Amino acid sequence: MKKIYENCLQCPRKCGINRASSLGFCKEPESLRIAVACLHFGEEPLITVHGGSGTIFLTGCNLRCAFCQNYQISQQGMGAAVSKEEFAEICLRLEAAGAENINLVTGSHHIPALAEGLAEAKKHGLKIPICWNSSGYDSVESLKMLEGLVTIWLPDLKTLSSELSSSLCAAADYPEKAKEAIKWMISHNPLKLTSVKKEIEGKIIEKDKIFQGVIVRHLFLPGRFFETADVLEWLKGNANGKAIISLMSQYTPVPFKDSEENLAKREKALSSIENRLVSESEDNDLRDLIEAYDFDYLFYQDLCADTEWLPDFEKKQPFSYKLARPIWHHKFGWC
Protein backbone atom coordinates (compact mmCIF):
# COMPACT_ATOMS: atom_id res chain seq x y z
CA MET A 1 0.00 0.00 0.00
CA LYS A 2 2.81 2.44 0.85
CA LYS A 3 4.13 2.26 -2.73
CA ILE A 4 0.75 3.40 -4.07
CA TYR A 5 0.97 6.57 -1.97
CA GLU A 6 4.56 7.36 -3.07
CA ASN A 7 3.13 8.77 -6.31
CA CYS A 8 -0.52 9.26 -5.42
CA LEU A 9 -2.87 9.00 -8.38
CA GLN A 10 -5.83 7.70 -6.36
CA CYS A 11 -8.44 10.24 -7.43
CA PRO A 12 -9.13 12.27 -10.59
CA ARG A 13 -6.85 15.09 -9.40
CA LYS A 14 -3.81 12.79 -9.78
CA CYS A 15 -1.58 15.02 -7.62
CA GLY A 16 1.32 12.60 -7.99
CA ILE A 17 2.82 13.58 -4.62
CA ASN A 18 4.44 11.31 -2.04
CA ARG A 19 1.93 11.28 0.81
CA ALA A 20 4.56 9.95 3.22
CA SER A 21 6.27 13.35 3.12
CA SER A 22 3.88 15.82 1.43
CA LEU A 23 0.19 16.66 1.29
CA GLY A 24 -1.85 16.96 -1.90
CA PHE A 25 -5.27 18.50 -2.46
CA CYS A 26 -6.97 16.14 0.01
CA LYS A 27 -4.52 17.28 2.75
CA GLU A 28 -4.14 13.71 4.01
CA PRO A 29 -1.00 11.61 4.63
CA GLU A 30 -0.73 7.93 3.80
CA SER A 31 -2.29 6.86 7.11
CA LEU A 32 -6.02 6.19 7.32
CA ARG A 33 -7.66 8.83 9.51
CA ILE A 34 -11.18 8.77 10.96
CA ALA A 35 -13.19 11.41 12.82
CA VAL A 36 -16.35 9.66 14.04
CA ALA A 37 -18.17 6.33 13.78
CA CYS A 38 -21.86 6.15 14.64
CA LEU A 39 -25.19 4.53 13.96
CA HIS A 40 -26.81 7.05 11.63
CA PHE A 41 -30.59 7.24 11.17
CA GLY A 42 -30.69 10.16 8.73
CA GLU A 43 -29.73 8.33 5.54
CA GLU A 44 -32.16 7.00 2.90
CA PRO A 45 -34.67 4.46 4.34
CA LEU A 46 -33.11 1.63 2.31
CA ILE A 47 -29.80 2.35 4.06
CA THR A 48 -30.92 2.95 7.65
CA VAL A 49 -33.74 0.34 7.67
CA HIS A 50 -34.32 -0.66 11.33
CA GLY A 51 -30.88 -0.50 12.98
CA GLY A 52 -29.31 2.55 11.37
CA SER A 53 -26.31 2.80 9.07
CA GLY A 54 -22.87 2.12 10.58
CA THR A 55 -21.38 5.38 9.38
CA ILE A 56 -17.63 6.05 9.45
CA PHE A 57 -16.64 9.66 8.70
CA LEU A 58 -13.17 9.73 7.13
CA THR A 59 -10.82 12.69 7.46
CA GLY A 60 -9.99 14.82 4.41
CA CYS A 61 -11.63 15.08 1.00
CA ASN A 62 -10.52 15.25 -2.63
CA LEU A 63 -13.32 17.70 -3.56
CA ARG A 64 -13.70 20.09 -0.59
CA CYS A 65 -16.97 21.77 -1.63
CA ALA A 66 -17.40 25.38 -0.46
CA PHE A 67 -20.77 24.55 1.17
CA CYS A 68 -19.73 21.34 2.94
CA GLN A 69 -21.56 20.78 6.25
CA ASN A 70 -18.82 18.32 7.31
CA TYR A 71 -16.05 20.88 6.71
CA GLN A 72 -14.46 20.25 10.12
CA ILE A 73 -13.39 16.78 9.02
CA SER A 74 -13.31 17.17 5.23
CA GLN A 75 -11.32 20.43 5.19
CA GLN A 76 -9.89 21.19 8.63
CA GLY A 77 -8.20 17.86 9.31
CA MET A 78 -10.22 16.72 12.30
CA GLY A 79 -9.59 13.02 12.97
CA ALA A 80 -7.09 10.43 14.20
CA ALA A 81 -4.99 7.79 12.46
CA VAL A 82 -6.08 4.16 12.85
CA SER A 83 -4.41 0.90 11.87
CA LYS A 84 -6.20 -1.66 9.72
CA GLU A 85 -6.82 -3.68 12.89
CA GLU A 86 -8.37 -0.69 14.67
CA PHE A 87 -10.48 0.09 11.62
CA ALA A 88 -11.68 -3.53 11.52
CA GLU A 89 -12.64 -3.35 15.21
CA ILE A 90 -14.69 -0.18 14.58
CA CYS A 91 -16.56 -1.99 11.80
CA LEU A 92 -17.21 -5.02 13.98
CA ARG A 93 -18.45 -2.90 16.90
CA LEU A 94 -20.85 -1.07 14.59
CA GLU A 95 -22.17 -4.44 13.42
CA ALA A 96 -22.54 -5.63 17.03
CA ALA A 97 -24.48 -2.42 17.82
CA GLY A 98 -27.06 -3.34 15.17
CA ALA A 99 -25.79 -1.49 12.08
CA GLU A 100 -27.43 -2.53 8.81
CA ASN A 101 -24.25 -1.77 6.86
CA ILE A 102 -20.83 -0.11 7.09
CA ASN A 103 -21.16 3.33 5.48
CA LEU A 104 -17.83 4.89 4.42
CA VAL A 105 -18.21 8.66 4.06
CA THR A 106 -15.83 10.53 1.74
CA GLY A 107 -13.11 7.92 1.30
CA SER A 108 -12.02 8.54 -2.30
CA HIS A 109 -8.48 9.52 -1.19
CA HIS A 110 -8.18 6.55 1.22
CA ILE A 111 -9.13 3.63 -1.05
CA PRO A 112 -6.00 1.42 -0.68
CA ALA A 113 -6.06 1.68 3.13
CA LEU A 114 -9.83 1.13 3.23
CA ALA A 115 -9.55 -1.97 1.03
CA GLU A 116 -7.01 -3.39 3.51
CA GLY A 117 -9.15 -2.48 6.51
CA LEU A 118 -12.33 -3.95 5.03
CA ALA A 119 -10.54 -7.19 4.13
CA GLU A 120 -9.28 -7.36 7.73
CA ALA A 121 -12.80 -6.80 9.09
CA LYS A 122 -14.24 -9.50 6.86
CA LYS A 123 -11.46 -11.86 7.94
CA HIS A 124 -12.64 -11.36 11.52
CA GLY A 125 -16.26 -12.07 10.71
CA LEU A 126 -17.88 -8.86 9.39
CA LYS A 127 -21.07 -9.92 7.59
CA ILE A 128 -23.08 -6.76 6.90
CA PRO A 129 -22.82 -5.01 3.49
CA ILE A 130 -20.35 -2.19 2.82
CA CYS A 131 -21.65 1.13 1.45
CA TRP A 132 -19.45 3.56 -0.51
CA ASN A 133 -20.70 7.10 0.27
CA SER A 134 -18.79 9.56 -1.92
CA SER A 135 -18.94 12.90 -3.69
CA GLY A 136 -18.87 11.04 -7.01
CA TYR A 137 -15.42 12.47 -7.77
CA ASP A 138 -13.92 9.00 -7.99
CA SER A 139 -11.40 7.31 -10.24
CA VAL A 140 -12.76 4.11 -11.79
CA GLU A 141 -9.25 2.59 -11.59
CA SER A 142 -9.28 3.08 -7.82
CA LEU A 143 -12.88 1.95 -7.38
CA LYS A 144 -11.90 -1.41 -8.85
CA MET A 145 -9.85 -2.01 -5.68
CA LEU A 146 -13.16 -2.16 -3.79
CA GLU A 147 -14.73 -4.89 -5.96
CA GLY A 148 -15.73 -7.86 -3.83
CA LEU A 149 -15.79 -5.62 -0.73
CA VAL A 150 -18.33 -2.88 -1.47
CA THR A 151 -21.81 -3.82 -2.73
CA ILE A 152 -23.81 -0.64 -2.04
CA TRP A 153 -22.78 2.55 -3.83
CA LEU A 154 -24.04 5.97 -2.70
CA PRO A 155 -22.42 8.62 -4.95
CA ASP A 156 -23.40 12.25 -5.37
CA LEU A 157 -24.03 13.81 -8.74
CA LYS A 158 -23.64 17.42 -7.67
CA THR A 159 -23.79 19.22 -11.01
CA LEU A 160 -23.25 18.77 -14.74
CA SER A 161 -21.87 22.30 -15.03
CA SER A 162 -18.08 22.52 -15.28
CA GLU A 163 -18.29 26.22 -14.50
CA LEU A 164 -20.20 25.59 -11.27
CA SER A 165 -18.02 22.68 -10.14
CA SER A 166 -14.93 24.76 -10.84
CA SER A 167 -16.25 27.57 -8.65
CA LEU A 168 -17.60 25.45 -5.78
CA CYS A 169 -15.11 22.56 -5.78
CA ALA A 170 -12.09 23.66 -7.84
CA ALA A 171 -12.81 20.73 -10.17
CA ALA A 172 -13.86 21.68 -13.69
CA ASP A 173 -13.76 17.99 -14.67
CA TYR A 174 -16.19 16.95 -11.92
CA PRO A 175 -19.18 16.31 -14.26
CA GLU A 176 -17.14 14.10 -16.58
CA LYS A 177 -15.48 12.08 -13.80
CA ALA A 178 -18.67 11.69 -11.74
CA LYS A 179 -20.67 10.44 -14.72
CA GLU A 180 -17.91 7.98 -15.57
CA ALA A 181 -17.77 6.66 -11.99
CA ILE A 182 -21.57 6.37 -11.66
CA LYS A 183 -21.87 4.51 -14.95
CA TRP A 184 -19.23 2.04 -13.74
CA MET A 185 -20.99 1.55 -10.40
CA ILE A 186 -24.33 0.89 -12.11
CA SER A 187 -22.90 -1.52 -14.69
CA HIS A 188 -21.18 -3.63 -12.02
CA ASN A 189 -23.86 -3.58 -9.31
CA PRO A 190 -27.43 -4.48 -10.30
CA LEU A 191 -30.03 -3.62 -7.68
CA LYS A 192 -30.83 -6.23 -5.03
CA LEU A 193 -33.47 -5.27 -2.47
CA THR A 194 -35.25 -7.34 0.11
CA SER A 195 -37.94 -6.83 2.74
CA VAL A 196 -36.89 -6.99 6.40
CA LYS A 197 -39.31 -7.41 9.33
CA LYS A 198 -38.77 -6.38 12.93
CA GLU A 199 -41.02 -6.42 15.96
CA ILE A 200 -41.21 -2.98 17.58
CA GLU A 201 -43.45 -2.43 20.63
CA GLY A 202 -45.51 -5.49 19.79
CA LYS A 203 -45.97 -4.57 16.11
CA ILE A 204 -44.28 -6.15 13.10
CA ILE A 205 -42.68 -3.40 11.03
CA GLU A 206 -41.60 -4.26 7.49
CA LYS A 207 -39.06 -2.17 5.55
CA ASP A 208 -37.15 -2.49 2.29
CA LYS A 209 -33.38 -2.92 2.54
CA ILE A 210 -30.68 -2.60 -0.12
CA PHE A 211 -28.00 -5.28 -0.24
CA GLN A 212 -26.49 -4.35 -3.59
CA GLY A 213 -26.83 -1.56 -6.10
CA VAL A 214 -26.54 2.18 -6.56
CA ILE A 215 -28.36 5.14 -5.02
CA VAL A 216 -27.43 8.41 -6.75
CA ARG A 217 -27.84 11.54 -4.62
CA HIS A 218 -28.34 15.06 -5.91
CA LEU A 219 -28.52 18.11 -3.64
CA PHE A 220 -30.61 20.96 -5.05
CA LEU A 221 -28.63 24.22 -4.86
CA PRO A 222 -30.83 27.27 -4.16
CA GLY A 223 -31.38 29.44 -7.22
CA ARG A 224 -30.00 26.77 -9.59
CA PHE A 225 -33.19 25.00 -10.68
CA PHE A 226 -31.96 24.36 -14.21
CA GLU A 227 -28.84 22.64 -12.86
CA THR A 228 -31.08 20.11 -11.13
CA ALA A 229 -33.23 19.74 -14.24
CA ASP A 230 -30.09 18.89 -16.24
CA VAL A 231 -28.96 16.32 -13.64
CA LEU A 232 -32.39 14.63 -13.57
CA GLU A 233 -32.43 14.56 -17.38
CA TRP A 234 -29.11 12.71 -17.39
CA LEU A 235 -30.22 10.35 -14.64
CA LYS A 236 -33.45 9.56 -16.46
CA GLY A 237 -31.47 8.45 -19.49
CA ASN A 238 -28.62 6.68 -17.72
CA ALA A 239 -29.85 5.45 -14.33
CA ASN A 240 -33.62 5.06 -14.34
CA GLY A 241 -34.60 1.45 -13.66
CA LYS A 242 -30.96 0.57 -12.93
CA ALA A 243 -30.33 2.74 -9.85
CA ILE A 244 -32.31 4.59 -7.19
CA ILE A 245 -32.44 8.38 -7.23
CA SER A 246 -32.32 10.49 -4.07
CA LEU A 247 -33.14 14.18 -4.56
CA MET A 248 -32.31 16.28 -1.51
CA SER A 249 -33.58 19.73 -0.56
CA GLN A 250 -31.60 20.10 2.68
CA TYR A 251 -29.14 22.77 1.50
CA THR A 252 -28.28 24.81 4.59
CA PRO A 253 -25.92 27.77 5.01
CA VAL A 254 -23.17 26.65 7.39
CA PRO A 255 -21.78 28.96 10.13
CA PHE A 256 -18.16 28.25 9.19
CA LYS A 257 -15.38 28.88 11.70
CA ASP A 258 -12.12 29.61 9.93
CA SER A 259 -9.46 32.23 9.26
CA GLU A 260 -10.51 35.50 7.62
CA GLU A 261 -8.58 34.55 4.49
CA ASN A 262 -10.32 31.18 4.15
CA LEU A 263 -13.73 32.67 4.91
CA ALA A 264 -13.21 35.24 2.15
CA LYS A 265 -12.28 32.49 -0.34
CA ARG A 266 -15.33 30.50 0.69
CA GLU A 267 -17.63 33.50 0.34
CA LYS A 268 -16.31 34.13 -3.19
CA ALA A 269 -16.94 30.49 -4.15
CA LEU A 270 -20.44 30.54 -2.66
CA SER A 271 -21.33 33.64 -4.69
CA SER A 272 -22.01 31.31 -7.64
CA ILE A 273 -25.17 30.09 -5.86
CA GLU A 274 -27.72 31.64 -3.50
CA ASN A 275 -26.42 30.65 -0.10
CA ARG A 276 -29.77 30.26 1.70
CA LEU A 277 -32.40 27.69 2.61
CA VAL A 278 -34.58 26.25 -0.15
CA SER A 279 -37.84 28.19 -0.57
CA GLU A 280 -41.35 26.73 -0.64
CA SER A 281 -41.80 27.81 -4.26
CA GLU A 282 -38.58 25.98 -5.23
CA ASP A 283 -39.80 22.92 -3.34
CA ASN A 284 -43.06 23.00 -5.32
CA ASP A 285 -41.16 23.35 -8.60
CA LEU A 286 -38.95 20.39 -7.70
CA ARG A 287 -41.98 18.26 -6.93
CA ASP A 288 -43.48 19.14 -10.31
CA LEU A 289 -40.18 18.28 -11.99
CA ILE A 290 -39.81 14.83 -10.45
CA GLU A 291 -43.46 14.08 -11.22
CA ALA A 292 -42.83 14.95 -14.86
CA TYR A 293 -39.79 12.66 -15.05
CA ASP A 294 -41.65 9.78 -13.34
CA PHE A 295 -38.59 7.84 -12.12
CA ASP A 296 -39.05 4.16 -11.27
CA TYR A 297 -37.59 4.63 -7.77
CA LEU A 298 -36.93 8.06 -6.28
CA PHE A 299 -36.65 9.48 -2.77
CA TYR A 300 -37.39 13.14 -2.11
CA GLN A 301 -36.80 14.93 1.18
CA ASP A 302 -39.55 16.94 2.80
CA LEU A 303 -38.66 20.62 3.04
CA CYS A 304 -37.30 21.51 6.49
CA ALA A 305 -36.26 24.95 7.73
CA ASP A 306 -34.67 23.53 10.89
CA THR A 307 -30.89 23.98 10.95
CA GLU A 308 -30.26 22.31 14.30
CA TRP A 309 -29.32 19.06 12.57
CA LEU A 310 -26.03 20.56 11.32
CA PRO A 311 -23.22 18.45 12.85
CA ASP A 312 -20.45 19.61 15.16
CA PHE A 313 -17.69 17.02 15.10
CA GLU A 314 -15.95 18.57 18.10
CA LYS A 315 -18.69 17.04 20.23
CA LYS A 316 -18.86 13.43 21.37
CA GLN A 317 -22.36 13.38 19.84
CA PRO A 318 -21.95 15.42 16.63
CA PHE A 319 -25.62 15.08 15.63
CA SER A 320 -28.94 15.29 17.41
CA TYR A 321 -29.79 12.09 19.28
CA LYS A 322 -32.65 11.49 16.84
CA LEU A 323 -30.17 11.30 13.97
CA ALA A 324 -27.29 9.28 15.38
CA ARG A 325 -25.83 7.18 18.18
CA PRO A 326 -22.04 7.59 18.59
CA ILE A 327 -19.84 4.48 18.78
CA TRP A 328 -16.32 5.93 18.43
CA HIS A 329 -14.87 9.45 18.38
CA HIS A 330 -11.33 10.54 17.52
CA LYS A 331 -11.02 12.55 20.78
CA PHE A 332 -13.10 10.46 23.17
CA GLY A 333 -12.51 6.92 21.93
CA TRP A 334 -15.28 4.33 22.43
CA CYS A 335 -18.60 5.93 23.32
Side-chain angles (χ1 to χ4, degrees):
M1 185 187 73
K2 287 185 179 292
K3 270 198 164 301
I4 293 176
Y5 288 136
E6 286 177 2
N7 178 32
C8 189
L9 305 173
Q10 283 304 292
C11 83
R13 293 194 187 273
K14 298 192 181 301
C15 294
I17 54 94
N18 183 347
R19 284 170 61 176
S21 57
S22 305
L23 298 179
F25 188 90
C26 69
K27 304 296 184 188
E28 283 301 294
E30 61 184 356
S31 57
L32 177 61
R33 299 205 306 141
I34 295 174
V36 172
C38 62
L39 292 179
H40 202 302
F41 300 95
E43 305 282 45
E44 286 77 2
L46 292 173
I47 300 289
T48 57
V49 200
H50 296 292
S53 183
T55 309
I56 300 176
F57 290 89
L58 300 152
T59 305
C61 182
N62 69 330
L63 201 57
R64 301 166 66 86
C65 298
F67 53 84
C68 182
Q69 69 193 38
N70 297 341
Y71 76 100
Q72 293 166 302
I73 57 176
S74 65
Q75 300 172 22
Q76 293 186 337
M78 191 179 290
V82 296
S83 66
K84 68 177 181 181
E85 292 80 13
E86 291 169 324
F87 174 82
E89 185 178 2
I90 290 172
C91 292
L92 291 166
R93 290 221 192 178
L94 285 166
E95 182 177 42
E100 303 282 355
N101 44 65
I102 299 299
N103 186 342
L104 304 173
V105 181
T106 318
S108 304
H109 52 299
H110 280 312
I111 288 179
L114 286 170
E116 279 194 355
L118 291 172
E120 182 76 9
K122 286 182 175 289
K123 185 175 79 173
H124 286 86
L126 184 72
K127 297 290 192 299
I128 54 178
I130 310 299
C131 174
W132 184 251
N133 186 337
S134 82
S135 68
Y137 197 48
D138 289 316
S139 161
V140 170
E141 293 77 16
S142 294
L143 292 178
K144 289 177 181 178
M145 296 179 68
L146 299 171
E147 285 190 280
L149 296 168
V150 172
T151 59
I152 304 168
W153 304 81
L154 190 59
D156 292 339
L157 184 53
K158 295 179 183 294
T159 179
L160 295 182
S161 165
S162 293
E163 180 182 0
L164 188 59
S165 64
S166 180
S167 173
L168 291 174
C169 319
D173 62 344
Y174 174 83
E176 171 195 347
K177 296 302 181 182
K179 287 190 292 185
E180 184 181 332
I182 289 168
K183 284 182 176 179
W184 180 87
M185 293 173 190
I186 291 173
S187 67
H188 287 73
N189 298 273
L191 285 168
K192 291 183 182 178
L193 309 180
T194 190
S195 181
V196 180
K197 296 179 181 178
K198 184 176 182 179
E199 184 175 341
I200 301 175
E201 296 179 353
K203 295 182 180 179
I204 301 297
I205 307 297
E206 188 170 359
K207 295 184 178 182
D208 287 339
K209 177 176 180 175
I210 185 169
F211 280 91
Q212 177 181 291
V214 181
I215 302 175
V216 184
R217 285 174 166 171
H218 172 70
L219 175 65
F220 171 71
L221 300 174
R224 307 290 299 215
F225 179 81
F226 291 106
E227 302 288 348
T228 290
D230 288 345
V231 167
L232 291 182
E233 178 74 24
W234 187 86
L235 289 172
K236 182 69 176 180
N238 293 275
N240 191 39
K242 297 177 283 189
I244 293 161
I245 312 304
S246 179
L247 179 58
M248 303 183 293
S249 60
Q250 69 181 27
Y251 183 92
T252 305
V254 178
F256 295 104
K257 297 177 182 177
D258 211 333
S259 68
E260 287 188 15
E261 181 183 357
N262 286 340
L263 288 173
K265 288 179 181 177
R266 193 182 297 278
E267 185 176 355
K268 182 179 179 181
L270 289 172
S271 67
S272 58
I273 60 173
E274 297 177 22
N275 188 29
R276 57 169 173 79
L277 295 171
V278 176
S279 69
E280 287 189 23
S281 62
E282 286 173 322
D283 178 63
N284 290 332
D285 289 342
L286 288 172
R287 291 178 183 276
D288 289 342
L289 185 64
I290 58 180
E291 185 176 343
Y293 274 112
D294 190 28
F295 282 95
D296 288 355
Y297 208 143
L298 179 143
F299 291 109
Y300 181 64
Q301 276 181 324
D302 289 331
L303 193 63
C304 177
D306 182 9
T307 63
E308 292 184 0
W309 59 268
L310 284 171
D312 182 354
F313 291 96
E314 287 279 9
K315 298 178 179 178
K316 187 175 183 179
Q317 166 55 292
F319 301 91
S320 76
Y321 280 93
K322 290 181 181 178
L323 278 179
R325 176 186 153 200
I327 299 294
W328 181 91
H329 190 281
H330 73 281
K331 281 171 57 177
F332 305 104
W334 299 108
C335 303

